[in-house]
Amino acid sequence: MNPRPFPQFVPLLVALLATACTAPAAETPEITVAQATLESGGGMVVSAYPHASRAGAEVLRAGGNAVDAAIATGFALAVTHPVAGNIGGGGFMVIRFPDGSSTVMDFREKAPLRAHPEMFLDEDGEYSFQIHHRSHLAVGVPGTVAGFAQAHEKYGSAAWAGLVEPAVALARDGFEVSERLAGSLAGRLEAFRGYPATFAQFFRDGEPYAPGDTLVQADLASTLARIRDQGRDGFYAGETARLLAEEMERGGGWITEEDLARYQAVEREPVRGTYRGYDIISMAPPSSGGTALVEMLNVLEGFDVAAMGANSPAHAHHLIEAMRRAFRDRATHLADPDFSDVPVARLTSKEYAAEIRATIQADAASVSDPDDVAGDPGWESSETTHYSVVDGDGMAVSVTYTLEGGYGSYITVPGAGFLLNNEMGDFNARPGLTTDRGLIGTEPNLARPEQRMLSSMTPTILARGGELVAVVGSPGGRTIINTVLQIVVNVVDFGMSPADAVATKRLHHQWLPDAARLEDGYMSEEDAAVLTAMGHPISWSGRQGIAHCIFTGEGGVLVGVPDPRDSDGTAAGY
Ligand code: GLY
């Protein structure tokens, strides 16, 4: 046990300590690290763990650009935020360049070559949740390292090794475990017993780590060192690939060294839209996020949302109705664009929004009809992580990446020290399967060789008049899209401050099940009664999303806002 106090998790002390400990040369700007809203004139990183935000900010201070810092932050989170940070998963990166142009990197996992639509059925031909979400067959071919390598090759400016080295050091030398991480790992004590390599990695002599203890991950350090020295080949070839393929073979998984060698990240066109004069830049399919976000904003644009008042019954009603329609379209049309024609242009057009807006009544709920589509939205975990980066030149990067479930499949590759995703669970369960829980069996998102599974991740950038306004995103499965939507509405319609735009309570509706889930405290009981009287079944939830965002404030200052829903969220800037 390490009895040291844990000052970096006490928000107000963090900045002072960081300042005192950094001891930079006189002309070197100091990095401030804060678990609270932070203003900065230079560069900024906001992520789910202090060491990761600091790693990114140090890259910025050393002259790296926002893509470089995003890569360093992402690798550091793979060490310090194992519930979702990863090299064994995948995700998306949205980049806005200082000249206002933009692009997105898709490093979503892929199905292995042996995949087929009925792979999640058991020997009796019945759908198996266990196979779909909790087995070696639930693991998709990881994309994170390829995505970071491709982003670096195309848009990075600093040396690759220097972006991976902070993560190598954190894994090799260890880092201080936060209270939240200690609690999260302790909560997996029994679950991880069935996964010996995972148990050994996250428990010391079979005992949970306490807050303030140092967590060392030697095997992960070796893998990261191979990635540092060999780039993508350090993961997709050689020893790492061999260790991963061997674990697949042991556990009945289908990912082979060939699957790994073939994996490629893809650069795509962002989904772009406008909302009351603001530009929306967001993730394209295989994420449904950007498409559904723009569709909902287009619908809301036809209503006087500002006049409704934030979190009023009228506001909630119109949000729910926009969500209901966009999530129906998501279930019907969205999938990997390399395998299906996804009608993004139509779904994000103002004309289509006008058509569906006309079906919304002013004060009465519609009803979600499962027969509207031939499929099922399925189960999605809320564990993912989002981080935001802006550099001193105004390059902005919005990254959301994931293992799917918390700690993914729970499978750590023995000898390689990293967790594998269970992202195959984001494919539809089986053709035609529909349940009142919201499962969907639509054709486009069925598992096929090398297809990417549908995602809800919504890394997004907001701009106006050529100027950056905000970098936004969140974890939360399908709630991600609605979390981002409400932050945008809070900024644009209600003129909220950055801190309020993030902190304000949120709600979620996803077409099926036909009920809205409101964060505790979203509205008063009286207002909730008004919403219910409109015909909206509602329930209450503890938390929706963790949106670690950056905004441009007065005079162009960067305002980093770690979501107060996460005690480890940290802004680091200089
Ligand atoms: N696995 C969460 C998502 O991709 O949306």
Side-chain angles (χ1 to χ4, degrees), residues 142-181:
T144 296
V145 176
F148 287 175
Q150 183 167 336
H152 178 257
E153 192 180 311
K154 299 197 84 163
Y155 302 114
S157 65
W160 170 259
L163 309 182
V164 195
E165 178 55 29
V168 175
L170 286 165
R172 182 193 59 221
D173 305 335
F175 67 95
E176 287 183 69
V177 174
S178 72
E179 195 170 333
R180 190 164 82 83
L181 177 57

Side-chain angles (χ1 to χ4, degrees), residues 133-330:
H133 295 278
R134 280 263 163 266
S135 72
H136 284 67
L137 289 183
V139 182
V141 182
T144 296
V145 176
F148 287 175
Q150 183 167 336
H152 178 257
E153 192 180 311
K154 299 197 84 163
Y155 302 114
S157 65
W160 170 259
L163 309 182
V164 195
E165 178 55 29
V168 175
L170 286 165
R172 182 193 59 221
D173 305 335
F175 67 95
E176 287 183 69
V177 174
S178 72
E179 195 170 333
R180 190 164 82 83
L181 177 57
S184 169
L185 290 172
R188 293 325 204 266
L189 183 70
E190 291 313 316
F192 284 177
R193 280 193 202 283
Y195 301 85
T198 307
F199 193 80
Q201 177 137 333
F202 295 117
F203 295 92
R204 191 173 43 194
D205 304 326
E207 293 293 323
Y209 286 88
D213 282 352
T214 300
L215 173 58
V216 172
Q217 299 168 85
D219 289 343
L220 179 57
S222 301
T223 300
L224 287 165
R226 287 193 288 278
I227 295 167
R228 176 196 61 200
D229 299 339
Q230 301 164 36
R232 69 159 274 153
D233 281 356
F235 187 90
Y236 293 93
E239 187 173 355
T240 313
R242 180 180 58 77
L243 291 168
L244 198 164
E246 283 174 4
E247 173 56 25
M248 283 286 122
E249 192 148 350
R250 261 193 304 276
W254 290 349
I255 298 174
T256 61
E257 288 186 63
E258 184 187 1
D259 283 300
L260 292 163
R262 288 170 65 93
Y263 183 88
Q264 294 295 333
V266 187
E267 182 169 15
R268 301 188 189 275
E269 275 297 300
V271 165
R272 297 189 180 90
T274 59
Y275 184 57
R276 305 190 202 281
Y278 287 75
D279 299 315
I280 313 294
I281 305 156
S282 192
M283 192 58 216
S287 180
S288 57
T291 307
L293 173 68
V294 171
E295 179 177 336
M296 291 190 286
L297 288 169
N298 284 341
V299 170
L300 292 173
E301 202 172 39
F303 298 113
D304 189 354
V305 174
M308 295 173 189
N311 294 19
S312 64
H315 176 213
H317 166 67
H318 287 86
L319 284 176
I320 292 168
E321 293 305 321
M323 291 170 183
R324 182 195 311 282
R325 286 155 179 77
F327 276 80
R328 176 200 55 203
D329 288 339
R330 174 192 189 276

